[in-house]
């Protein structure tokens, strides 16, 4: 099979890209994400039509944030777009005239990294995406593992603190409340409130107030060595690494791949994640250790992965 299209549905933009068999993106189109569920379907169709022009396309893969059923056809539940049992595959197939595969966006990103990024050469890979929340993907025995009903790898909602912080999902103490971009901002605000003298660089990057601290300020301040910013990354990394040790107990992969916006900081966050992982890995002195690797494809992993999953049918 030759060229396929991957679609990534973001909060503000929908990206569609033509991808070849080597995972290279030949052309992309971006359209604004409409506010209504029906509008999003229209925008996906429009983006696919635009980017198809001049190419011979064989299939379309769509990565969607939410629960996708085991047939990879229906979005059962998407918290951000308000899709409930949305028959996305049928609707898009009818209008673009190509086979369509729908996949959870974190699964698609994991597949992209496994095939063309940091996971190349590994048969057993667990991916976590540290974005606003925490997403995940499971590849065991060279296969993407979705579970019986298609909704496995929701690592962000593993409860790591009994009666812990309230999560948007309705539960308490979910991992993503402690290891995510949102958690990073909370750590920085707490620390800046307690010791503003250690957050001078961080506060100077925003409007000067603790409430004005944003994720991008923490990244920039950490690169300057701001103590509060660096310590906030370390706190996030402690939780992330401890969680990876638990996932090693479950899946025993040869590699963990850490992606998402938070991982853009590279060793600043990966080094303490590795330390925490080793600290909490059971029997760590007597067993092989999985590698903890930075994702390589950045924001295109989901698009490339969705396109490749569509190619595989
Ligand atoms: Zn939760």
């Amino acid at each position: 099979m030759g060229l396929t299209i991957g679609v990534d549905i973001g909060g503000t933009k929908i990206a569609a890209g033509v991808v070849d068999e080597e995972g290279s993106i030949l052309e992309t189109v971006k359209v604004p994400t409409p506010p209504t569920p029906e509008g999003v379907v229209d925008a996906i169709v429009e983006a696919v039509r635009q980017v198809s022009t001049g190419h011979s396309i064989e299939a379309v893969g769509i990565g969607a944030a939410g629960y996708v059923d085991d047939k990879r056809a229906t979005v059962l539940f998407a918290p951000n777009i308000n899709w409930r049992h949305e028959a996305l595959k049928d609707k898009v197939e009818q209008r673009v005239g190509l086979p369509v595969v729908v996949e959870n966006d974190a699964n698609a990103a994991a597949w992209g990294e496994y095939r063309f990024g940091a996971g190349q050469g590994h048969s057993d890979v667990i991916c976590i995406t540290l974005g606003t929340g925490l997403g995940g993907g499971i590849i065991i025995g060279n296969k993407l593992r979705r579970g019986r009903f298609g909704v496995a790898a929701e690592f962000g909602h593993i409860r790591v603190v009994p009666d812990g912080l309230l999560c948007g999902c309705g539960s308490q103490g979910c991992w993503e409340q402690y290891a995510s971009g949102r958690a990073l901002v909370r750590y920085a605000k707490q620390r800046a409130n307690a010791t503003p003298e250690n957050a001078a660089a961080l506060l100077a990057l925003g409007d000067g107030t603790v409430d004005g601290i944003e994720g991008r300020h923490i990244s920039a301040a950490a690169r300057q060595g701001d103590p509060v910013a660096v310590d906030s990354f370390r706190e996030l990394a402690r939780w992330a690494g401890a969680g990876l040790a638990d996932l090693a107990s479950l899946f025993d992969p040869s590699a963990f791949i850490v992606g998402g916006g938070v991982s853009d900081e590279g060793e600043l966050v990966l080094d303490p994640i590795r330390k925490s992982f080793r600290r909490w890995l059971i029997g760590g002195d007597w067993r092989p250790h999985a590698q903890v690797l930075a994702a390589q494809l950045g924001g295109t992993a989901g698009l490339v992965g969705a396109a490749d999953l569509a190619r595989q049918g």
Side-chain angles (χ1 to χ4, degrees), residues 52-71:
S52 307
T53 308
H55 300 287
S56 176
I57 304 296
E58 307 200 18
V60 177
I62 301 172
Y67 285 1
V68 178
D69 74 343
D70 59 317
K71 297 187 175 59

Side-chain angles (χ1 to χ4, degrees), residues 156-157 167-171 174 176-177:
H157 301 286
C167 183
C169 73
S171 185
C174 293
E176 77 171 24
Q177 295 304 318

Side-chain angles (χ1 to χ4, degrees), residues 2 5 37 49 86 108 112 115 156 165 176 180 186 189 193 219 230 234 236 246 255 269 273 279 293 306 313:
I5 289 174
R49 279 186 184 145
E86 173 77 15
R115 285 276 288 145
L165 290 166
E176 77 171 24
S180 66
R186 194 181 72 244
K189 287 182 175 176
N193 262 325
S219 297
V230 170
R234 286 198 185 126
L236 178 149
D246 289 340
V269 63
I273 288 178
R279 161 74 181 80
L293 305 169

